[in-house]
Amino acid sequence: MDEPWEARLFAFLDDLEQQAGATFAAERDQEVAERARAEYARVVLAARLMASVERDVTLTVDGVGPVSGRLRRVADGWCLVVASTGSWIVRLDAVALVRGGAATAVPPEAWPATARLGLGSALRRLTGERCQIHPRRGTPYEARLGRVGADFVEAVVGADPAPVLIAFSGLAAVQQRG
C-alpha cells in the first residue's frame, strides 16, 4: 500500500531540512576556519615568545647566529635569553628564526606590566658592565656600557676613553658574560 500523501510530504520536508542543516554547518565551519586564519594573522612573534618564557629556545639572530638558552623575559622590542655563556639581550626585530617556542601565544593585553619596558631599560641594568656588542652588520666587539638615551647607548670601546654612540637600530644583541 502506498504511503499517504501527508507522510510523503513530511518526509520530503524533513529531507530538505536535513540538507539545509548540512549546508549551514559546512558554511559555518568554513567561516570559523576563515575567522581563525584572520585572527592568527594578527599574532606577532613577541606574543609567541611570551608564551615561551621559561622554555629552552634557540633564536637565530641576524649578525650573531644561533643563541640558545632559557628565555627569561620578553618585553617591548627585546627579549632576554640566559645561556651557560652569559645573558643575551636580543632585539626582536633581529630574530630570524625560533626553535623550541610554545605552540600558543599570549595576547599583549595579558602581558605583565614589565613587558612595556623598552630596550633602554634592559641596557641601563648593564651600565658599567663589560659586554660583547653584536651589531647587525660587522664584527662583535667588547665594550663597557655607559649612559643610555632614548634610542642609543654610550659605550667605551678598547683603550679610548671617549665613548661611542651605538644606535639601537644597529644592534642585534648584547651579551653579558656569565
Side-chain angles (χ1 to χ4, degrees), residues 7 18 25 36 44 57 78-79 81 86 96 99 103 121 140 143 152-153 155 167-168 175 177:
Q18 288 176 0
V44 295
V57 296
W78 62 277
C79 66
V81 176
R99 291 193 191 281
S121 293
F152 70 95
V153 60
F168 289 174
Q175 183 184 18
R177 300 289 182 178

Side-chain angles (χ1 to χ4, degrees), residues 48-161:
R48 288 291 299 271
L49 287 174
M50 186 61 78
S52 305
V53 169
E54 297 304 329
R55 292 177 66 116
D56 290 329
V57 296
T58 298
L59 308 178
T60 301
V61 181
D62 294 340
V64 178
V67 173
S68 296
R70 177 73 43 130
L71 182 62
R72 293 286 186 192
R73 177 172 288 173
V74 177
D76 185 20
W78 62 277
C79 66
L80 175 66
V81 176
V82 177
S84 60
T85 58
S87 297
W88 289 82
I89 296 172
V90 178
R91 287 193 35 149
L92 293 183
D93 61 0
V95 174
L97 185 133
V98 178
R99 291 193 191 281
T104 59
V106 176
E109 51 275 1
W111 294 5
T114 55
R116 289 191 287 273
L117 298 174
L119 180 61
S121 293
L123 295 178
R124 280 184 198 92
R125 295 180 61 103
L126 300 178
T127 298
E129 300 277 335
R130 284 200 86 48
C131 299
Q132 183 86 19
I133 305 295
H134 294 268
R136 286 179 176 270
R137 291 180 294 281
T139 306
Y141 53 91
E142 292 284 328
R144 184 174 306 280
L145 297 186
R147 298 183 300 179
V148 179
D151 62 352
F152 70 95
V153 60
E154 291 180 356
V156 175
V157 179
D160 186 354

Side-chain angles (χ1 to χ4, degrees), residues 7-26:
R8 288 192 312 265
L9 177 63
F10 285 130
F12 175 74
L13 292 174
D14 284 344
D15 184 50
L16 281 179
E17 189 173 322
Q18 288 176 0
Q19 288 178 29
T23 300
F24 175 76

